Structures are given as C-alpha cells and as structure tokens.
Amino acid sequence: MKAIRLILPAATLVAAFLATSGLSFATKEMGSKEKKPCFTCHEKGKAPTKEAPLLNEVGKFYKEKKTLEGAPKK
C-alpha cells in the first residue's frame, strides 16, 4: 500500500513532464533567442500543442523566415 502511495504521484509527475517536454523545450529555446514572450507568436488565451501550435501572423512569419526582422505588426 505504501508503495502505491509513492509510485502513483511519481508516475503522474513523470507523465506530465513527458507530455509537455517536447513543446516546452522548443518554445523556451526560441523565446530565449528572440527575448520575446510566447504570445508574440501564439494566440493569447489558448494553449498551443505540437499538432496545433495556434500561430498568429507573427508566428507564421517566424516559422517561415526563422527571424522576427520584418515581421508583421500585431
């Protein structure tokens, strides 16, 4: 019984980390490079996923050009 009380929370934490790790590393890396918050490229109030990153016009520009120089204004 004690083992279940220890394993279940640990497994939950590991699963949560694995579920978000792919997206969060790329976003943090790009954010650090550009020194901009996430909502510069993503729609506010909606959580992006790998399948649906919810890019706005600036995000689409960055995805194509790999730079924010010359990006459209919000």
Side-chain angles (χ1 to χ4, degrees), residues 30-47:
M30 290 176 193
S32 297
K33 177 184 170 200
E34 300 298 336
K35 295 180 177 58
K36 300 284 183 187
C38 297
F39 61 81
T40 302
C41 294
H42 297 277
E43 293 180 22
K44 278 187 181 179
K46 297 180 182 176

Side-chain angles (χ1 to χ4, degrees), residues 5 24-25 36 40-41 47-48 54-56 58 62:
R5 280 193 254 164
S24 65
F25 288 133
K36 300 284 183 187
T40 302
C41 294
L54 301 172
L55 298 175
N56 57 24
V58 177
Y62 186 84

Side-chain angles (χ1 to χ4, degrees), residues 11-24 48-51:
T12 303
L13 287 173
V14 169
F17 174 76
L18 292 175
T20 60
S21 65
L23 181 63
S24 65
T49 63
K50 246 183 187 173
E51 296 80 30

